[in-house]
Amino acid sequence: MDAHKGAEMFRKVHVPVLGLIQNMSVFQCPKCKHKTHIFGADGARRLARTLDLDILGDIPLHLNIREASDTGQPIVFSQPESDEAKAYLRIATEVVRRLPPPPE
């Protein structure tokens, strides 16, 4: 609901919305690797369709992200080869791809 309101607000004031990110998309048990959608599945995707936006990516709910953030070391620096860091890097790539070219 907040994401919907935010996207609509930005549209009203003519700020481009590059897309949506599904945060805390899935929890994977560190022991058995079972994946659980604690906050439901595909809510951001449904909202993106409603708003005619793209999904830029998914950020998993993972202890490594929280621990790295708590120490002030983003996961992309503290564990750059981890799947969690790669999720952020994929999103960064999508953001850059959608940015307008710099003025000449």
Side-chain angles (χ1 to χ4, degrees):
M1 199 169 180
D2 290 336
H4 189 218
K5 288 180 184 178
E8 291 298 330
M9 177 200 65
F10 282 122
R11 285 183 171 164
K12 285 180 185 175
V13 295
H14 308 290
V15 174
V17 177
L18 301 176
L20 298 179
I21 296 168
Q22 177 123 345
N23 192 27
M24 298 187 289
S25 60
V26 68
F27 172 76
Q28 183 174 358
C29 176
K31 299 206 185 301
C32 71
K33 306 301 183 200
H34 175 76
K35 293 183 179 182
T36 303
H37 297 275
I38 294 173
F39 299 106
D42 297 326
R45 281 174 176 68
R46 286 190 299 277
L47 179 58
R49 279 192 299 274
T50 300
L51 296 172
D52 195 29
L53 292 170
D54 294 327
I55 289 290
L56 301 177
D58 299 281
I59 300 296
L61 178 60
H62 200 284
L63 184 60
N64 290 347
I65 295 172
R66 201 260 315 148
E67 289 176 341
S69 298
D70 284 355
T71 65
Q73 293 292 315
I75 196 83
V76 295
F77 292 113
S78 62
Q79 299 175 40
E81 298 302 317
S82 69
D83 289 340
E84 298 80 36
K86 290 174 184 175
Y88 280 99
L89 295 172
R90 282 190 298 273
I91 290 169
T93 299
E94 289 301 315
V95 168
V96 169
R97 196 171 67 77
R98 287 166 170 76
L99 292 174
E104 291 185 28

